[in-house]
Amino acid sequence: MSDPLPFSQACENNRQPILEQLTRLLPRPAAVLEIGTGTGQHAEYFAGQLPHLRWLPTDHPDNVWMCRQRLELADLPNVEAPVALDVSERPWTLPAFDHVYSANTAHIMAWEEVCEMFGGVAEGLDKDGCFCLYGPFNDHGEFTSESNRRFDQHLRARLPHMGLRNLQDLEALAANLGMSLYRNLEMPANNRLLLFRKTAS
Ligand SMILES: C[S@@+](CC[C@H](N)C(=O)[O-])C[C@H]1O[C@@H](n2cnc3c(N)ncnc32)[C@H](O)[C@@H]1O
């Protein structure tokens, strides 16, 4: 009997509300780079539901194996073979992309890696492109829920470099790289979908 595929219950829970937003936000044919694909459940679901998008799954070299089998089995015509990408290894050598999607990565990466992720996105993002960053975030240095506070504690106890990021720090980081936050969407379970784009020069 083969091993079960890597699975995340959170992905099952959040995929529909995220899909509803992506459907609205990305209506035209485009290439979407996913950073930190994890189990590949989001890639499989979104690419299946949004066939006008070409999905480019990537993950850290240590973890990219997690999505490979699922995406091979799904065999979707609009999903590229997953690529190993450590966001800290710049410049990124990737096919061109129009938009970027990343879920639940900013609180797992060290802050320096978050900076590299934004740097790589800013370098490669199309002028009309969108960086969709999903997850739990703090607002003005405050937790937005008790469950987020507990989650942050749990992360920092595991590895001190992990932890919820502050929305205003991300905005300042983006601004330094010529990007701005143009939508901050409330999502279920105290999550947000943050949308960044290149600032018009
Ligand atoms: C909590 S998982 C999220 C996976 C998936 N996006 C989801 O929502 O379930 C965090 C992901 O960030 C990735 N990650 C952490 N550090 C990274 C780095 N430096 N470069 C690229 N990906 C990284 C991990 O490999 C992992 O797949």
Side-chain angles (χ1 to χ4, degrees):
M1 222 168 61
S2 55
D3 288 340
L5 296 173
F7 176 82
S8 153
Q9 186 57 48
C11 282
E12 290 301 292
N13 300 344
N14 60 29
R15 67 182 197 172
Q16 192 57 33
I18 299 175
L19 174 69
E20 283 163 21
Q21 297 298 342
L22 295 184
T23 304
R24 230 170 26 79
L25 293 162
L26 309 178
R28 280 181 281 283
V32 180
L33 166 68
E34 181 176 9
I35 297 174
T37 294
T39 62
Q41 286 162 265
H42 279 170
E44 179 183 16
Y45 190 60
F46 300 151
Q49 297 291 318
L50 303 170
H52 58 284
L53 298 179
R54 194 161 54 84
W55 206 266
L56 311 171
T58 71
D59 207 334
H60 190 281
D62 292 347
N63 295 334
V64 69
W65 65 270
M66 282 202 299
C67 65
R68 283 217 162 104
Q69 197 184 354
R70 176 184 299 280
L71 296 177
E72 263 169 32
L73 288 170
D75 197 22
L76 292 166
N78 57 331
V79 178
E80 301 289 325
V83 170
L85 173 72
D86 177 347
V87 292
S88 305
E89 299 289 323
R90 305 255 308 280
W92 297 349
T93 45
L94 292 171
F97 53 86
D98 303 298
H99 308 290
V100 181
Y101 169 77
S102 192
N104 293 314
T105 49
H107 57 265
I108 298 296
M109 293 176 186
W111 174 249
E112 295 73 20
E113 293 173 300
V114 175
C115 295
E116 295 289 349
M117 172 165 68
F118 272 73
V121 170
E123 264 167 25
L125 196 66
D126 186 81
K127 70 174 172 38
D128 301 315
C130 169
F131 176 27
C132 311
L133 184 63
Y134 173 89
F137 300 97
N138 287 345
D139 193 8
H140 290 98
E142 304 286 339
F143 296 108
T144 61
S145 70
E146 179 55 23
S147 62
N148 280 1
R149 190 187 65 75
R150 282 199 305 270
F151 183 46
D152 180 79
Q153 258 180 1
H154 160 80
L155 289 169
R156 288 177 197 276
R158 265 178 62 199
L159 282 172
H161 71 247
M162 300 200 295
L164 268 60
R165 305 301 164 199
N166 189 38
L167 179 57
Q168 289 71 28
D169 295 339
L170 296 176
E171 281 191 87
L173 172 61
N176 276 330
L177 294 162
M179 294 194 294
S180 58
L181 178 72
Y182 69 101
R183 298 289 296 279
N184 170 0
L185 302 170
E186 188 169 357
M187 301 294 285
N190 306 302
N191 289 294
R192 324 279 315 174
L193 185 62
L194 306 180
L195 305 176
F196 297 89
R197 66 182 166 202
K198 291 263 177 85
T199 313
S201 51

